[in-house]
Amino acid sequence: MDYASYAKEKAASIIKSGNATVLAIETSCDETAAAVVKNGRTVISNIIHSQIPIHQKYGGVVPELASRSHTERIRPVTDEALSKAGLTLKNIDAVAVTFGPGLVGALLTGVSYAKGLALAGKLPLVGINHIHGHIAANYLSCAGLEPPFVCLVVSGGHSHIVLVRDYLDLELLGKTRDDAAGEAFDKVARVLGLGYPGGPKLESLALSGDPHAFDFHSPFNSGDHPDFSFSGPKTAVINLLHKAKQKGETVNFADIAASFQLSVVKVLCAKTVRAAKLSKVSLVALAGGVSANKLLRSTMLEMSESEGMKFCCPEFEYCTDNAAMIGSAGFYALMSGRLHGLELNADANPGLK
Ligand code: KG4
Ligand code: ZN
């Protein structure tokens, strides 16, 4: 029997049983990650190799260096995920891999390796959209969570408000018109001299600052529409620093960090809770690297509860890029028969599909 027929047959028997142990791979940006996840909810192993030390001296991710490092680390990271789980490929039911969005060279490493594993193990292969993966991180952390809900996906590349009607039925309700929230955190951190990755560093500095010292509010964000702009608040910070320098004045960087963080968090939460109300759903979730931000988590909890809504967010380890979330999304895709063959390709910008 050829690979495609074998994989189809295996997938049919998995769907019938309702159980699957998925080996998942994620290489969309600067983390090489592999995980083993059972039935979309239980993480058996979760290995992440971060490339932060490689990119730190350049102040951001260098795509070519990212691809090279993924090529070196993909095998040891995957082997470690299997060995930590006490399993071999023979115990795995399917392979899931991020196919996009992301850096195309980085994505290709994971997609090619996953295809090789699927072929060698005669296993079904499921390509997963990175954004679906981030949303699925909530299924790992919130027991019993089921759609429908509204999820704010905030990462280095995206700021999306998504209506999750069902596990695979997503609708984009709102998005940024310019910079992503994480990108704005990173750029402001850079002008404050905090380095890469900026988000967590800016959050730490903000702890000692006054969040009401400056108003970085952007008029665009006041509108009733569900979209964001983060380029406005970012430019306001840059202008403030520029003017202070021209006048020879000093500005308190911690106050800038705290005020910028508050302005971004306020608009993210207000627009997400409003979108949930308009969509008539009673649960709000968070996803993506920026969802590790403590002020964002606490403000979203407060605002959703004050509207009588439930709130869910991934544990810290599942907020930033990881493969466990891909294993969860992979389970639901597999169970609905959404398989990919060996023709699966990386796609730097697939939208929400
Ligand atoms: O989801 P992720 O790991 O990678 C992408 O898919 O982009 O998100 C990374 C982004 C970066 O912009 C990083 O600065 C931001 O998430 N981030 C944070 C925090 N932790 C990570 N932003 C604000 N506060 C944090 N604690
Ligand atoms: Zn991500």
Side-chain angles (χ1 to χ4, degrees):
M1 220 192 300
D2 65 353
Y3 165 77
S5 324
Y6 205 98
K8 232 184 196 168
E9 204 169 85
K10 171 107 185 158
S13 90
I14 293 168
I15 293 169
K16 207 167 160 202
S17 79
N19 290 302
T21 301
V22 174
L23 173 62
I25 290 174
E26 151 68 44
T27 62
S28 66
C29 190
D30 55 348
E31 267 95 20
T32 313
V36 177
V37 179
K38 194 164 170 50
N39 294 345
R41 300 272 173 166
T42 309
V43 181
I44 319 269
S45 66
N46 184 36
I47 308 297
I48 302 173
H49 174 262
S50 166
Q51 299 180 358
I52 288 175
I54 296 173
H55 303 291
Q56 215 148 26
K57 58 177 177 272
Y58 303 101
V61 179
V62 182
E64 179 58 28
L65 295 182
S67 310
R68 274 190 232 167
S69 174
H70 285 308
T71 314
E72 282 165 17
R73 302 309 307 175
I74 186 77
R75 184 171 178 183
V77 164
T78 308
D79 286 353
E80 193 180 343
L82 282 169
S83 72
K84 276 259 163 69
L87 303 174
T88 69
L89 203 54
K90 288 199 171 70
N91 313 109
I92 296 297
D93 296 312
V95 179
V97 63
T98 307
F99 72 90
L103 302 169
V104 77
L107 290 162
L108 271 172
T109 314
V111 168
S112 311
Y113 197 74
K115 282 190 201 175
L117 288 175
L119 188 61
K122 294 186 177 143
L123 299 171
L125 176 69
V126 197
I128 295 296
N129 182 307
H130 186 73
I131 297 173
H132 288 223
H134 271 305
I135 294 171
N138 286 286
Y139 303 131
L140 301 172
S141 299
C142 308
L145 172 67
E146 283 188 18
F149 56 89
V150 160
C151 188
L152 173 70
V153 187
V154 264
S155 69
H158 299 91
S159 302
H160 285 354
I161 300 177
V162 179
L163 172 60
V164 184
R165 283 211 190 82
D166 206 342
Y167 288 100
L168 302 178
D169 182 4
L170 311 187
E171 182 187 339
L172 184 62
L173 299 177
K175 64 178 180 1
T176 181
R177 295 279 181 97
D178 40 57
D179 290 358
E183 185 184 359
F185 266 98
D186 292 339
K187 287 178 177 168
V188 168
R190 191 194 285 214
V191 296
L192 295 180
L194 300 176
Y196 154 90
K201 291 188 176 174
L202 192 137
E203 177 177 30
S204 303
L205 181 63
L207 287 175
S208 55
D210 172 6
H212 304 290
F214 303 105
D215 181 8
F216 294 129
H217 176 77
S218 156
F220 176 84
N221 289 326
S222 307
D224 267 354
H225 56 82
D227 290 341
F228 310 108
S229 162
F230 296 115
S231 159
K234 174 200 73 184
T235 309
V237 171
I238 295 170
N239 289 343
L240 179 98
L241 287 168
H242 193 65
K243 278 186 196 146
K245 199 176 167 193
Q246 278 180 334
K247 290 184 192 160
E249 291 170 1
T250 52
V251 220
N252 184 319
F253 280 13
D255 286 350
I256 294 183
S259 304
F260 175 78
Q261 178 178 246
L262 182 64
S263 75
V264 171
V265 163
K266 264 183 9 195
V267 65
L268 287 174
C269 295
K271 287 194 180 258
T272 305
V273 171
R274 188 168 180 274
K277 256 171 96 174
L278 291 173
S279 306
K280 299 192 175 17
V281 300
S282 55
L283 200 148
V284 168
L286 271 182
V290 184
S291 63
N293 185 279
K294 293 189 193 71
L295 184 69
L296 176 60
R297 294 161 84 95
S298 61
T299 310
M300 195 71 99
L301 170 71
E302 236 170 69
M303 284 180 63
S304 45
E305 282 189 347
S306 77
E307 292 291 342
M309 295 174 191
K310 286 196 184 135
F311 172 65
C312 167
C313 63
E315 288 154 86
F316 287 107
E317 63 185 309
Y318 304 132
C319 288
T320 43
D321 290 349
N322 66 88
M325 66 187 196
I326 304 301
S328 173
F331 173 81
Y332 292 105
L334 182 67
M335 286 305 162
S336 68
R338 269 209 209 174
L339 297 188
H340 289 87
L342 297 176
E343 75 287 348
L344 177 67
N345 204 356
D347 183 348
N349 202 1
L352 256 192
K353 74 170 192 292

